[in-house]
Amino acid sequence: METPRSRGGALITGASRGIGRATALRLVEDGYDIAINYLRSSGEAENVARQIEAKGRRAACLAADMADEEAASELFRRAEDALGPIDIVVSNAGITRDRLLIQMTEDDWDAIWYTDLAGPRALCRTAIETMSARGGGRIITVGSVVGSLGNAGQANYATAKAAVEGLTRELAVTAAPHNITVNCVVPGYITTDAVAHLTEAQVAAWYERIPMRRNGTVEDIAALIAFFAGDAAGYVTGQCVAVDGGLLARAGAGLHS
Ligand code: NDP
């Protein structure tokens, strides 16, 4: 059977592993060619590319450091050079550098600030400029429940992720007249390499706080990203939606259950 025509290009940052990888594999099912950004994991990125190509779609692996604003901005253009028009940007790459604020170094602070906020801002700005001229597009950012809840040892991460939500809302208002939607997916506790360092006791403490008493999966996050990217979400913009097993709802409702 012939593969249906491509729906266009999607650029996903941090797509070599975890949520970004699952998003790449989800969006290819919806018919997109995929630009896979990564920092160091070239082998993993190539592996994702092979899976995309096996589905009859095009893939491009693009190394770029999202902590470098110029490289983040340039990434959008590189993705278009490789695949043609990019209609969907998923700003997913993110890191943590946990330490209590009183012990946190400038480097710990800056690493998160640039990777999780400044790089995404630069990428979104370039994407919006180009998409505006072309008549539309979709941008999906990735926040964290920690941006609303806060968490001991994560002042840098909580601040950057709260700011990602603010950035999302501002961009949504600015870009709406250009037929560009901007929404934020807010993951709760999702099993990936990013949380692999947590001890059994720390994981148990998260489960205790999560009303569904379990982790979410990368596919849970990818499904909401695919919704924001898809035709059904054309009138949805400026939204920050948690996929967290009820964690934020419980924080808002108190601790009775
Ligand atoms: P992983 O650690 O599993 O994967 C991180 C990805 O980001 C990798 O592809 C990595 O590339 C890439 N990356 C890291 N730093 C950079 C950089 N400077 N430039 C470009 N790419 C980079 O993370 P997750 O999948 O768990 O997290 C994805 C997003 O979801 C992040 O924004 C995170 O904050 C957010 N999130 C995750 C939660 C969770 O429970 N897992 C909870 C809440 C939010 P490489 O492989 O080359 O290192």
Side-chain angles (χ1 to χ4, degrees):
M1 205 176 72
E2 207 179 313
T3 311
R5 244 165 60 89
S6 166
R7 295 197 65 189
L11 164 63
I12 305 162
T13 68
S16 49
R17 297 183 284 118
I19 290 169
R21 175 181 184 278
T23 301
L25 298 178
R26 176 67 178 74
L27 290 182
V28 80
E29 297 295 339
D30 293 343
Y32 294 99
D33 298 322
I34 311 284
I36 303 157
N37 159 251
Y38 65 97
L39 180 62
R40 294 190 188 89
S41 307
S42 54
E44 283 87 343
E46 290 293 346
N47 196 287
V48 177
R50 278 196 292 274
Q51 292 186 61
I52 288 164
E53 285 160 0
K55 301 268 180 192
R57 294 277 160 240
R58 291 182 303 146
C61 294
L62 303 173
D65 185 355
M66 284 300 289
D68 175 339
E69 290 166 274
E70 216 178 302
S73 168
E74 198 50 36
L75 178 63
F76 185 81
R77 297 193 187 94
R78 289 172 60 202
E80 294 215 317
D81 285 348
L83 296 179
I86 296 291
D87 302 316
I88 294 168
V89 168
V90 183
S91 174
N92 161 77
I95 55 167
T96 53
R97 195 77 90 75
D98 300 354
R99 223 187 284 259
L100 292 176
L101 187 64
I102 46 172
Q103 295 157 352
M104 190 170 280
T105 64
E106 289 303 304
D107 192 50
D108 293 330
W109 182 268
D110 287 350
I112 302 306
W113 188 258
Y114 284 102
T115 309
D116 292 13
L117 181 63
R121 182 198 69 111
L123 170 64
C124 290
R125 183 176 166 157
T126 308
I128 285 175
E129 278 167 9
T130 310
M131 289 171 173
S132 298
R134 213 165 33 225
R138 301 286 169 91
I139 295 177
I140 296 114
T141 58
V142 177
S144 167
V145 288
V146 170
S148 298
L149 293 174
N151 198 23
Q154 293 197 306
N156 50 0
Y157 185 70
T159 304
K161 290 297 190 181
V164 165
E165 295 195 21
L167 177 73
T168 302
R169 294 190 183 97
E170 197 284 338
L171 293 178
V173 173
T174 305
H178 303 289
N179 192 32
I180 300 166
T181 68
V182 190
N183 291 289
C184 182
V185 173
V186 181
Y189 179 83
I190 310 299
T191 309
T192 67
D193 294 344
V195 295
H197 64 284
L198 296 182
T199 63
E200 230 172 86
Q202 286 171 319
V203 174
W206 274 109
Y207 288 179
E208 189 61 32
R209 294 169 74 190
I210 298 168
M212 291 184 89
R213 303 275 187 253
R214 63 175 174 83
N215 64 286
T217 66
V218 290
E219 288 80 16
D220 291 329
I221 307 300
L224 181 58
I225 292 173
F227 170 72
F228 283 142
D231 294 339
Y235 198 55
V236 180
T237 196
Q239 301 306 303
C240 300
V241 179
V243 181
D244 68 350
L247 185 56
L248 285 186
R250 179 182 200 175
L255 296 172
H256 298 296
S257 58

